[in-house]
Amino acid sequence: MTMVPSKSPRSETDGAATVPPARAATKAGDGDGGDPASASTSGSFLARAALVTASLSIAGSLLGLVRDQSLARLFGAGSDTDAFLVAWTVPEFAATLLIEDGLAIALIPAFSMALARRARGAPGDPVRALVGATLPRLCLALTAVAALVAGTAPYLVQALAPGLPDPRLAADCTRITATCVLAFGLAGYCSAALRAHRCFLAPAAIYVTYNTGIIAAMFLLGEGWGVRSAAVGVAAGGCLMVAVQLPSLWRRLTSPAPLLAGSGADAEERPMQLALVATVLLFALCRQSQVLVERFLASGLPAGAISHLNYAQKVAQIPMTLSLMVCTVTFPVVARALADGDTARARSRVERDLALASWLVLLGMSAVIACAPQMIELLFQRGAFTTRDSAATADVMRVYALGLLSQTLVGALVRSYFSAGRASWYPLGAMTAGIAVTSWIGAATVHSWGVAGIAAANAIGITVTAAGLLAGLRTGRPSSPHSVSVRVRQVLAELSRLVCAAAVATAAGACAASRLPSPAAGLAAGLLTVTFVFVPLTWALRAQGSASALRSLRAVTRRLPHGRFR
């Protein structure tokens, strides 16, 4: 995301070392082009930013595991937990639409454009003008949606899970979690604005505070309120997500706007388009509707099916979440490159991101498939969560993990369609096709394969979407001067090398993990085997993702001791 150059040598970013202002104003720091010193400085900045973001994301994911462990230990995997997880659909949708794939994709290019105009000396302050034009309207709209969700909670529960044993409990939890619509919207707005300023520390900490709020509420209120305490924790955690970011955003919005004589093409003054917001939000809504399909189909299965699917997804998605941190850090770089008219630099950045994110997620996917029984037993098998629950969750997690690469590709590729701040309906079409495939296969297999059939449908459907999005970015298609294209053949060749290495590493890791009776020892053996097979094999196959990971590690270890984080 673009940096706001400061008037002093001190960097204005959360967790970034000093970058020369003039250079930051024009290159936005992705290390493409320019002199070697600039490339080294900006490359190390991205590496350090990715390290900070990944570290806090790991902490948030670990707390997410603790949250799920607490939910399993206190309430098990029965009808009460199923009821809460149906209500959990509201924060899941809100997080996707307002924090991750929705507002962020729409707002970051808008803030990048405003920052580019500010750096070129546009009259007034384009950044503050953007906030004034968008934030009040957003708050009013989100408040109305939250009230609508709370008022129609019983009908939503009936539509989402018609076979649920206790719909009244689910409706109560839904009313409580409806408050997160406004809180998540404000949190997503703050995150997009800060990331556009290349401030990653506070946005990366939001899930740490969010999960902390849920865990605290469950243990403090669980005895008297039951599973409703988790819904209260969702509401409290949403408020904490906003509170942790407000100080950083306030400092940037109230500081004097620097005026620099920039170079390159003038940034076009273009307000946020309703069509852009609509296409981004509809895509995110369509993507999240996978959860609706899964829970609708699972509601007709025996009690606990929704819970097993939920726990499996939460663990399996950790590698995907961490791999997409690469794109979270570099998305504003792509947006700024397009704002400057440098499509070659944008394409280079996107292709490298795809290689590195795929390398990371396939390493994690291999570990998840190889060590699924050991992971679930160590994480969840205690209290009300039985041995049968562990076996069912591990089985479905292995199937669900087969779609992790495609999930990562969808998350990375969709950003390219909206990096220039222009509307595109193509991603929505690709996602709709994937959802149709998921629904059809899930309905055909749920009665014979149960939850595993739902997970398989998810993996196949998201793979269809990923293939469509990748085909839509091919270099030979008609394109505008402000769009991103990728060399599809090179990307597919890279992915084939990584998939082959992942298959070998998974087989070796599963063999090592199954030979030890202790779950802890088996997990350690499996993880080490996967790592020591996958990493050298991708290096031997000359996979670009392996080289990118090594360069990022070198940049961090070389520059990190000299950087200043605040």
Side-chain angles (χ1 to χ4, degrees):
M1 302 182 181
T2 49
M3 176 186 290
V4 179
S6 64
K7 294 185 288 186
S8 66
R10 184 181 177 92
S11 168
E12 286 192 12
T13 60
D14 286 342
T18 302
V19 179
R23 186 72 62 186
T26 57
K27 283 298 178 186
D30 85 344
D32 295 332
D35 57 52
S38 172
S40 175
T41 301
S42 56
S44 62
F45 167 80
L46 290 178
R48 292 194 306 275
L51 175 65
V52 172
T53 305
S55 298
L56 285 171
S57 296
I58 290 172
S61 297
L62 291 176
L63 280 172
L65 285 177
V66 174
R67 176 202 67 206
D68 293 336
Q69 286 176 319
S70 303
L71 185 67
R73 180 173 183 174
L74 294 172
F75 310 113
S79 59
D80 284 1
T81 310
D82 286 353
F84 167 72
L85 291 175
V86 171
W88 182 262
T89 304
V90 175
E92 282 183 322
F93 262 76
T96 299
L97 291 174
L98 304 175
I99 299 177
E100 297 162 8
D101 293 338
L103 278 184
I105 294 177
L107 284 172
I108 287 173
F111 274 104
S112 297
M113 186 68 66
L115 288 166
R117 294 185 59 243
R118 172 199 273 184
R120 290 176 173 85
D125 187 345
V127 177
R128 296 174 197 168
L130 176 63
V131 173
T134 56
L135 185 56
R137 298 175 185 177
L138 178 67
C139 290
L140 287 175
L142 293 175
T143 301
V145 172
L148 180 63
V149 171
T152 60
Y155 306 102
L156 286 176
V157 170
Q158 180 63 25
L160 291 173
L164 200 64
D166 192 354
R168 292 184 61 183
L169 177 59
D172 290 344
C173 292
T174 300
R175 290 189 183 97
I176 299 172
T177 58
T179 59
C180 75
V181 173
L182 176 59
F184 281 22
L186 292 174
Y189 192 95
C190 294
S191 295
L194 287 172
R195 286 169 177 165
H197 285 79
R198 299 188 76 187
C199 306
F200 300 101
L201 184 59
I206 59 176
Y207 286 111
V208 174
T209 58
Y210 173 64
N211 288 320
T212 299
I214 298 176
I215 295 167
M218 284 194 292
F219 279 101
L220 291 175
L221 305 175
E223 186 174 351
W225 288 37
V227 79
R228 292 178 179 86
S229 61
V232 174
V234 170
C239 297
L240 292 174
M241 294 168 83
V242 180
V244 77
Q245 297 182 93
L246 278 180
S248 294
L249 182 60
W250 181 256
R251 285 198 303 269
R252 279 150 187 85
L253 293 181
T254 57
S255 61
L259 298 178
L260 294 176
S263 61
D266 290 338
E268 175 188 355
E269 182 176 5
R270 184 177 69 253
M272 282 189 62
Q273 303 171 0
L274 179 61
L276 169 64
V277 177
T279 53
V280 171
L281 292 183
L282 285 174
F283 170 83
L285 184 66
C286 188
R287 183 179 183 184
Q288 192 60 25
S289 65
Q290 284 182 310
V291 177
L292 300 183
V293 173
E294 293 167 2
R295 289 180 181 165
F296 181 88
L297 295 174
S299 68
L301 297 175
I306 295 177
S307 299
H308 298 151
L309 186 61
N310 171 77
Y311 294 132
Q313 287 177 341
K314 291 297 188 295
V315 178
Q317 285 179 349
I318 291 176
M320 178 197 72
T321 302
L322 297 180
S323 66
L324 285 176
M325 287 301 101
V326 175
C327 303
T328 299
V329 171
T330 59
F331 178 43
V333 173
V334 177
R336 185 60 182 268
L338 292 177
D340 290 337
D342 194 346
T343 56
R345 183 158 57 100
R347 181 182 69 182
S348 175
R349 182 74 260 173
V350 169
E351 290 180 348
R352 281 185 287 161
D353 288 349
L354 288 174
L356 180 54
S358 299
W359 186 90
L360 290 171
V361 76
L362 284 171
L363 175 60
M365 187 190 80
S366 299
V368 167
I369 297 175
C371 308
Q374 292 81 7
M375 286 182 181
I376 297 301
E377 184 175 348
L378 286 173
L379 289 173
F380 298 112
Q381 191 173 308
R382 58 183 59 84
F385 200 86
T386 65
T387 304
R388 185 186 66 83
D389 292 325
S390 293
T393 303
D395 289 343
V396 71
M397 187 169 76
R398 278 178 159 161
V399 179
Y400 183 83
L402 296 175
L404 287 180
L405 174 61
S406 296
Q407 294 277 9
T408 296
L409 291 176
V410 169
L413 290 169
V414 72
R415 288 166 167 81
S416 301
Y417 284 90
F418 301 110
S419 296
R422 287 173 168 81
S424 173
W425 294 98
Y426 183 86
L428 178 61
M431 193 69 243
T432 302
I435 290 297
V437 171
T438 298
S439 303
W440 178 71
I441 296 179
T445 60
V446 65
H447 296 295
S448 55
W449 292 2
V451 182
I454 299 174
N458 181 302
I460 297 172
I462 199 65
T463 300
V464 170
T465 299
L469 290 177
L470 184 59
L473 291 177
R474 65 191 184 278
T475 52
R477 80 191 197 288
S479 59
S480 73
H482 298 282
S483 62
V484 178
S485 60
V486 297
R487 292 165 291 189
V488 173
R489 289 186 179 179
Q490 286 88 330
V491 171
L492 291 177
E494 170 73 9
L495 292 178
S496 65
R497 289 190 287 266
L498 293 174
V499 169
C500 290
V504 175
T506 300
C511 181
S514 63
R515 291 182 176 275
L516 297 175
S518 167
L523 178 60
L527 293 179
L528 289 174
T529 301
V530 166
T531 303
F532 286 120
V533 171
F534 182 82
V535 175
L537 191 54
T538 55
W539 183 262
L541 293 173
R542 297 184 178 181
Q544 183 183 354
S546 179
S548 297
L550 181 60
R551 284 196 300 269
S552 298
L553 180 62
R554 286 176 176 173
V556 170
T557 55
R558 183 174 64 249
R559 298 283 181 175
L560 186 59
H562 308 291
R564 291 182 295 187
F565 293 82
R566 63 182 183 89

